[in-house]
Amino acid sequence: MNPPNPKRPCHDVTSSSIQNPNSVPVATDFNQTEFDSIISSFILLPDSSLSTSIDCSLDRVLGQILFLATKASGDDSIQDLLIDRTRKLALSLQESTKRVSRMRDTLYNSNSWSLPHELTIKIFSMLDTKSLMKASACCTMFRECSLDPLCYSHIDLRTSTITKRLSDNVVCSLILRAGKELRSLQLGRVKSVYQGSLVTKSCLASIILNRGFNGGVLRSLHLYNLKSTGTKSLCDMLLACPNLTDLKIFNLKHILVEVLKTLTKNSHSILDRLFLHNIVRFTTSGVSCSTAEAFVSSCPNITSLNIEGFHLNDDAARILAEGFPKLNYMNLSTTPKLTGRVLRDMINSSRDTSPLKTLILRDCPLLDRQNDVGQFLVSLIKGDFKFIGHIDVSREHGYGSKETVLIKNLLMKLKEKRSDVTAVA
């Protein structure tokens, strides 16, 4: 028998090769070239008719290694370590195969993709955020295209299902990736009011970074079901977004006054649509007339105003209804303190000049249907509020019998005189 080649020692697994009974016997004296050669030989093993032989050989060799390892150490637990290591080796081979396959696909896509890089980015910028994430996972070329800030101009991370909360780091990275291209941001769980939200303090802080660099050109901001944000964080974020034209905060809870003062302080003169919603069960403070007047003066271009579920009184509501010269949509539903005086004031002061097209006062318990709502319907029948096309003064629990008869008669007359007006009462 010829002696082993001294430049290439023999590495058969024997009982003498196991030095430590508590460790896995692994040969460590291969150089990189020899190691690569062994892996290449394994990968290039012929298949077809020999595939069964390969399976049998693997089973036989692994069984022998386990037997010799147990015999040398006298400890059956060494088998678990060897089996676990074998699984890791198999997983490494599988992951390496996936990586090489993706690289191969990327090379193919780069050669066969007919669109130029700039046009691909433009198309990606038109995708919603979820579709963009799926496209970026296809191949390296698509991922490189999807990293362009233009692709994140409109970030939509809304969800309507009760799923695991999206990582704050992911949300922040998308906002920072957009940079100065960020134009709209929609974030939060839309339907599940009482479940955890996506919106946290750190998510809002990413807009404030670099002296508001990321929020400076933000035009549309929709936040749903705030959680653990804090009043100061929310107000600081609004201060960093002076160019908002569309602001929607669903489930704002009790900080309406602070938000209105922040918008006033920052003079959001181009703000066009404002939607603030509150759950009625929360205790909320009212809005003073001075706060309402300052807000109207600072945001004169509002055309759509939605403030639901807050304790607005008649005076503040009147200032909001009459103060915006371009206001064509107003929703003050579920306002517990609102009486019919706001309707009477509108009839007396702005019935000929109001540009209002939609008025919604749904589920306001103190509205007197027979007097206040009746007078407003009579004013519509006479031809006042010539631009109005929709009015909703309905109530969840309905009216009394006398109110029902009166309102029905007025609605019939309104339908005859002004068929273009839809009234829900």
Side-chain angles (χ1 to χ4, degrees):
M1 178 182 294
N2 295 327
N5 188 338
K7 295 184 180 181
R8 182 167 182 172
C10 181
H11 293 283
D12 294 335
V13 179
T14 65
S15 59
S16 61
S17 68
I18 303 176
Q19 304 298 330
N20 186 352
N22 296 320
S23 63
V24 179
V26 180
T28 58
D29 50 354
F30 282 119
N31 61 41
Q32 189 61 51
T33 303
E34 291 175 325
F35 197 70
D36 292 348
S37 177
I38 293 174
I39 295 177
S40 299
S41 300
F42 177 76
I43 294 175
L44 294 175
L45 284 174
D47 49 8
S48 65
S49 61
L50 295 179
S51 59
T52 304
S53 299
I54 294 174
D55 293 340
C56 293
S57 296
L58 290 173
D59 293 345
R60 184 171 57 255
V61 171
L62 182 58
Q64 290 175 354
I65 293 175
L66 295 179
F67 172 76
L68 293 174
T70 304
K71 183 178 179 181
S73 63
D75 185 2
D76 290 341
S77 63
I78 194 68
Q79 293 190 7
D80 296 331
L81 295 175
L82 283 167
I83 291 175
D84 183 60
R85 184 173 183 278
T86 305
R87 287 198 183 100
K88 290 180 179 179
L89 289 173
L91 182 61
S92 297
L93 179 60
Q94 182 181 10
E95 293 300 319
S96 178
T97 304
K98 290 180 180 180
R99 287 193 296 270
V100 173
S101 178
R102 285 196 296 267
M103 292 174 59
R104 182 171 176 270
D105 292 341
T106 297
L107 180 61
Y108 174 80
N109 290 341
S110 301
N111 294 332
S112 61
W113 190 251
S114 58
L115 298 179
H117 188 76
E118 294 77 11
L119 185 55
T120 303
I121 293 175
K122 182 66 175 178
I123 294 175
F124 279 9
S125 69
M126 299 177 183
L127 299 176
D128 61 87
T129 306
K130 186 176 180 180
S131 299
L132 178 63
M133 295 297 99
K134 290 182 178 180
S136 66
C138 290
C139 67
T140 304
M141 185 192 73
F142 278 8
R143 175 170 173 76
E144 290 176 354
C145 292
S146 69
L147 292 177
D148 191 276
L150 186 64
C151 298
Y152 300 90
S153 299
H154 306 281
I155 299 177
D156 185 353
L157 294 175
R158 293 173 298 169
T159 178
S160 59
T161 57
I162 305 175
T163 56
K164 184 178 180 181
R165 186 170 63 86
L166 193 63
S167 168
D168 289 345
N169 292 333
V170 173
V171 177
C172 294
S173 65
L174 294 183
I175 293 174
L176 295 176
R177 190 177 294 173
K180 65 179 181 179
E181 298 294 338
L182 185 62
R183 295 296 183 271
S184 71
L185 174 63
Q186 300 184 69
L187 184 63
R189 185 166 286 114
V190 177
K191 294 184 179 180
S192 182
V193 175
Y194 301 105
Q195 298 292 330
S197 170
L198 297 175
V199 186
T200 65
K201 185 183 297 185
S202 59
C203 293
L204 301 183
S206 59
I207 300 178
I208 306 174
L209 291 177
N210 300 326
R211 297 182 180 180
F213 176 77
N214 298 305
V217 290
L218 186 65
R219 292 303 185 95
S220 177
L221 177 64
H222 292 186
L223 304 176
Y224 299 86
N225 296 308
L226 305 180
K227 180 185 178 182
S228 304
T229 54
T231 303
K232 186 178 185 305
S233 296
L234 177 61
C235 293
D236 288 345
M237 184 269 300
L238 292 177
L239 286 174
C241 304
N243 292 307
L244 285 175
T245 61
D246 179 18
L247 175 61
K248 181 175 185 178
I249 306 179
F250 186 86
N251 191 10
L252 184 60
K253 299 183 181 179
H254 58 281
I255 59 173
L256 173 64
V257 176
E258 288 81 355
V259 169
L260 294 183
K261 287 183 177 180
T262 301
L263 296 175
T264 300
K265 179 180 179 181
N266 208 27
S267 186
H268 284 69
S269 58
I270 63 174
L271 186 63
D272 179 57
R273 295 178 296 276
L274 178 64
F275 181 106
L276 302 175
H277 179 277
N278 176 53
I279 300 176
V280 179
R281 70 182 181 89
F282 288 102
T283 301
T284 59
S285 58
V287 176
S288 65
C289 291
S290 59
T291 299
E293 289 174 351
F295 173 63
V296 167
S297 299
S298 300
C299 305
N301 291 308
I302 287 182
T303 62
S304 177
L305 180 65
N306 193 110
I307 301 181
E308 294 186 57
F310 295 95
H311 286 201
L312 288 174
N313 57 33
D314 289 326
D315 292 328
R318 176 184 55 81
I319 293 172
L320 295 177
E322 299 175 0
F324 299 106
K326 301 179 182 179
L327 187 66
N328 56 54
Y329 176 96
M330 185 170 73
N331 186 348
L332 301 180
S333 296
T334 58
T335 305
K337 290 186 176 181
L338 199 65
T339 70
R341 204 179 89 194
V342 65
L343 290 176
R344 294 195 299 271
D345 291 341
M346 290 176 64
I347 294 173
N348 295 330
S349 63
S350 58
R351 58 186 176 184
D352 295 327
T353 59
S354 174
L356 200 63
K357 296 180 181 180
T358 300
L359 175 63
I360 302 178
L361 301 175
R362 189 169 46 246
D363 290 325
C364 296
L366 297 184
L367 279 182
D368 187 334
R369 265 57 181 178
Q370 187 167 353
N371 295 320
D372 304 325
V373 176
Q375 289 180 23
F376 193 81
L377 292 177
V378 169
S379 179
L380 289 177
I381 293 172
K382 291 180 179 179
D384 299 331
F385 300 97
K386 58 183 179 180
F387 295 108
I388 205 162
H390 182 87
I391 177 174
D392 186 345
V393 289
S394 60
R395 188 164 56 189
E396 182 181 1
H397 301 294
Y399 314 141
S401 57
K402 292 183 179 180
E403 292 176 319
T404 301
V405 173
L406 173 65
I407 297 299
K408 279 186 176 181
N409 291 334
L410 291 175
L411 289 177
M412 290 178 63
K413 292 180 181 180
L414 179 63
K415 188 175 182 180
E416 293 174 0
K417 295 288 186 178
R418 299 182 63 175
S419 59
D420 58 318
V421 177
T422 300
V424 182

